[in-house]
Amino acid sequence: MIRLISSVILAILAIGILSVAGATAAKVGTDEVMRTPAVQVSEQSRAVVLNEAIVPFAHSNASVTVQSDQEVFIGTGNGVDVADYLKDSSHQEITEVDFNDKFVLRDISGAGDPLADPASLDWWTSSKKAAGSSSASFDLDGEPEWIVVTSADPEQKLDATISMGMQVKGVLGWCVLGAGVAVLLLGLAVFLALGWWMNRLRPPKRSRSSRSGPSASAAVSTAGTSGSGGVETRRPNVPEPADDATDSDDDAPPASGADVPAAGTGDPTTRRGARRAAPSDKPSRPKVTKVLGSATRKKPGQKKSGRRAATFAALSVGTVVLSGCAMPVQPSKVEVTPPSKVAMSKGDGPELIASYTESLNKSYQDNLAGIDDLQGEPLLTRTKADQIIREKTGEKATVFGYSDVTVAAPRLDEYPLWAIARATPNGAEKTSQLLLVVRESSTSDWKVLQSVFGPKNDIPAFIGKQDGSVAVATDADVEAINGAVNVASDFLETGKKPEQGTSVDAAAFADYRDYVSNFKKKDSGFSSVETRCEPFADADLTSHAIEAKDNALALAEVRCTLTVKVDESFSLDLGTAIEALLGDKNEGSTVEVTTSHPLVVWVNDKGEATLGTDDWSLIGASTK
């Protein structure tokens, strides 16, 4: 029965291995790639996007395959960039990838307007254009990125079919091995079944006593009563002569003192030279007669144990083979982390500043052509005002070269991206220039919003994390920075220094107060001089604050308006700069002069703020 049970178990195991191995081999094919069904892209879709993180496997490579008659663009980028690029467009997102024949695309509605030309964007980590069949592969153990498939022509909608595949190296080999093992197990099952069947056809075995006969019993009895230490050795199952078997006198024991019959006289106890021991008062311990050949016989349970061991070994081998050639188990749930990115890498900072400097120089030479693409507020207004004054005075703009460029960029999860660059102008080794650069969207270029010169040794150093980013300042730090900017505004307006907490000792502050004082002199001819100052409100500069060494740091700006009144009988010379800004609008007795005061502010753990600046600028003038 053990043979039959083992045969059935092995047959079931073999059939299971063949089924799994065959199905898996058919699924992965000879190229060992699992594939999803191909899905047609929606007619209204401009693009299809995949977040690589939703593919629930590791230690392999996956790919997105596109089949289209039109030329398509396939790009890979950070999820922050891709999400911003597609946010206003109708597109589809791959939301579920099941290599057991399930592939789900979700429609995301949008304005339907054409996308920006994908080939013009600089944040793709890899990209290509192709027609027909094309694919993009990615490492499932790498940092997840997003893959975008769109038409190479931004004016066209995407017409394509999308599918995915994943490499499963080694599975086909395991399947072939599994088929071989299954065949061996089937052979073993047949062998055991035949053995069980043949055993049923054999005649029943006779018992040992029936095979030995009376003579064997007599031999065992005689050997058990022989003298102490005497053991009779006999050949089993030897039939006795007929006359000895029927002679009752010869079977009787001899009388005491009688002569022992000689060997060969018919007495079975003395055959082949055996000796009879003298009778003893104590009965001797029976000796067990060893039968020739009994030492090679197995114990009754040994055959069953061997069969069990063989069956267990076969089950173990089958399990290992099944685990190797089975399809990878797909997790039921995938945890996806929202994308984020360091706003600007360490290597991109110097490159950006160098490109900005070169473009700014060309813009100055071409009457500020393209300046709106390079700068934003509040720096843009200052640059345009400087250009007007230079044209009036005949001066030429000076564009610095830089050295020691470093960038402090936070890790962000959405646009706009921003960073603070720090550089040393050539020829001004004791001065640092800080620039706040911002990228409003994934399709726009970086712009410089603010530029501040300050004492190099006083401005705190940037401290970066392991991933190259810097920490964003806390809300409490930003509040303290805004408080310091308000203090600076009050000082520029009134000239009164704060009692404690904020330092306003920068030379540029004192220089502006001297400028205002000149208008208030009695011999100036002005009947009234008023100053109003307030933080620049058109751009939230201080929200772009970072954690520097022992301080929180941000760039800011204060705008001041100086209003002066004169009698109509006076004809005053307000200076070349103001006259240039006034232009032809110089009628009226009231003159308003607007000035720009760029600041760098840092606040320590005690809440003590320091304001740094080396300059201020005239940016506007009007009369009324």
Side-chain angles (χ1 to χ4, degrees), residues 48-65:
V48 173
V49 60
L50 166 71
N51 181 356
E52 295 174 358
I54 72 167
V55 182
F57 294 98
H59 312 308
S60 185
N61 292 326
S63 62
V64 176
T65 301

Side-chain angles (χ1 to χ4, degrees), residues 86 100-101 133 215 233 249 296 313 378 387 413 427 499 522 555:
L86 298 175
N100 294 319
D101 301 327
S133 180
S215 59
T233 303
D249 293 339
T296 61
Q387 180 71 0
D413 56 11
E499 296 181 357
K522 293 182 179 181
L555 305 188

Side-chain angles (χ1 to χ4, degrees), residues 8-256:
V8 172
I9 292 174
L10 293 177
I12 293 174
L13 179 60
I15 294 172
I17 294 176
L18 280 176
S19 301
V20 174
T24 303
K27 183 71 175 177
V28 302
T30 56
D31 56 354
E32 296 187 308
V33 175
M34 297 168 55
R35 291 181 175 86
T36 67
V39 177
Q40 178 67 40
V41 177
S42 170
E43 294 181 357
Q44 303 301 320
S45 180
R46 293 278 180 181
V48 173
V49 60
L50 166 71
N51 181 356
E52 295 174 358
I54 72 167
V55 182
F57 294 98
H59 312 308
S60 185
N61 292 326
S63 62
V64 176
T65 301
V66 184
Q67 182 69 43
S68 177
D69 293 333
Q70 67 179 175
E71 187 179 34
V72 298
F73 176 91
I74 304 176
T76 303
N78 186 279
V80 175
D81 300 316
V82 173
D84 185 81
Y85 176 59
L86 298 175
K87 66 180 181 180
D88 294 327
S89 67
S90 297
H91 63 279
Q92 288 183 293
E93 179 182 1
I94 300 173
T95 58
E96 187 173 353
V97 179
D98 187 344
F99 291 101
N100 294 319
D101 301 327
K102 193 174 183 181
F103 191 46
V104 180
L105 275 66
R106 178 169 64 96
D107 291 326
I108 299 178
S109 60
D113 296 332
L115 293 167
D117 184 3
S120 66
L121 304 176
D122 62 354
W123 41 259
W124 299 112
T125 57
S126 65
S127 63
K128 63 180 177 180
K129 294 181 179 180
S133 180
S134 183
S135 62
S137 300
F138 56 96
D139 185 358
L140 292 173
D141 294 327
E143 187 70 22
E145 294 186 295
W146 289 25
I147 297 177
V148 176
V149 180
T150 185
S151 173
D153 184 355
E155 299 296 327
Q156 294 183 357
K157 295 180 180 179
L158 180 62
D159 181 13
T161 58
I162 306 289
S163 63
M164 287 193 63
M166 184 182 72
Q167 291 183 353
V168 282
K169 293 182 178 180
V171 172
L172 183 61
W174 276 102
C175 291
V176 173
L177 177 62
V181 171
V183 171
L184 292 177
L185 293 179
L186 279 176
L188 182 57
V190 171
F191 174 77
L192 292 175
L194 289 176
W196 170 79
W197 182 258
M198 294 300 295
N199 190 54
R200 292 179 68 246
L201 299 179
R202 290 179 182 177
K205 294 182 180 180
R206 292 180 299 171
S207 63
R208 182 179 301 272
S209 60
S210 62
R211 291 197 309 266
S212 300
S215 59
S217 300
V220 173
S221 175
T222 305
T225 56
S226 60
S228 61
V231 178
E232 181 182 7
T233 303
R234 295 204 48 175
R235 187 167 57 191
N237 301 331
V238 179
E240 299 296 333
D243 54 347
D244 291 341
T246 58
D247 191 353
S248 59
D249 293 339
D250 292 338
D251 291 338
S256 178

Side-chain angles (χ1 to χ4, degrees), residues 438-496:
V438 176
R439 189 170 193 171
E440 292 293 337
S441 72
S442 60
T443 57
S444 64
D445 294 324
W446 287 94
K447 290 184 179 182
V448 180
L449 301 191
Q450 182 64 301
S451 174
V452 181
F453 291 90
K456 182 177 182 178
N457 294 332
D458 294 342
I459 299 174
F462 295 161
I463 304 296
K465 298 180 181 180
Q466 188 173 3
D467 63 354
S469 67
V470 298
V472 177
T474 64
D475 293 342
D477 289 334
V478 172
E479 184 178 353
I481 289 172
N482 287 330
V485 175
N486 289 328
V487 170
S489 177
D490 292 341
F491 174 73
L492 291 171
E493 182 175 324
T494 64
K496 296 180 180 179

Side-chain angles (χ1 to χ4, degrees), residues 231-413:
V231 178
E232 181 182 7
T233 303
R234 295 204 48 175
R235 187 167 57 191
N237 301 331
V238 179
E240 299 296 333
D243 54 347
D244 291 341
T246 58
D247 191 353
S248 59
D249 293 339
D250 292 338
D251 291 338
S256 178
D259 294 335
V260 177
T265 58
D267 190 345
T269 61
T270 60
R271 186 173 296 169
R272 299 178 185 259
R275 294 176 300 172
R276 184 183 301 273
S280 174
D281 294 338
K282 296 182 180 180
S284 61
R285 184 176 181 179
K287 299 295 182 178
V288 178
T289 302
K290 292 185 178 180
V291 180
L292 184 61
S294 63
T296 61
R297 294 182 180 269
K298 294 183 178 179
K299 294 181 179 180
Q302 286 182 342
K303 289 185 179 181
K304 294 182 180 180
S305 299
R307 296 191 192 103
R308 294 192 190 103
T311 304
F312 179 76
L315 288 173
S316 300
V317 172
T319 302
V320 172
V321 172
L322 278 175
S323 64
C325 71
M327 297 286 286
V329 178
Q330 177 146 332
S332 59
K333 186 177 181 181
V334 180
E335 296 292 338
V336 178
T337 303
S340 64
K341 69 175 296 184
V342 180
M344 183 180 296
S345 67
K346 182 179 180 181
D348 290 341
E351 182 179 345
L352 174 65
I353 298 304
S355 176
Y356 167 74
T357 302
E358 181 180 355
S359 299
L360 182 61
N361 188 41
K362 292 180 180 179
S363 180
Y364 274 131
Q365 295 174 3
D366 195 15
N367 196 26
L368 295 186
I371 191 65
D372 290 350
D373 297 329
L374 299 176
Q375 295 180 349
E377 294 296 344
L379 177 60
L380 180 60
T381 296
R382 193 158 69 242
T383 299
K384 290 180 176 181
D386 288 343
Q387 180 71 0
I388 293 172
I389 295 172
R390 288 190 180 95
E391 289 179 352
K392 183 71 173 180
T393 60
E395 297 179 2
K396 292 184 177 180
T398 301
V399 179
F400 294 99
Y402 298 97
S403 61
D404 302 329
V405 179
T406 57
V407 174
R411 177 173 286 278
L412 303 172
D413 56 11

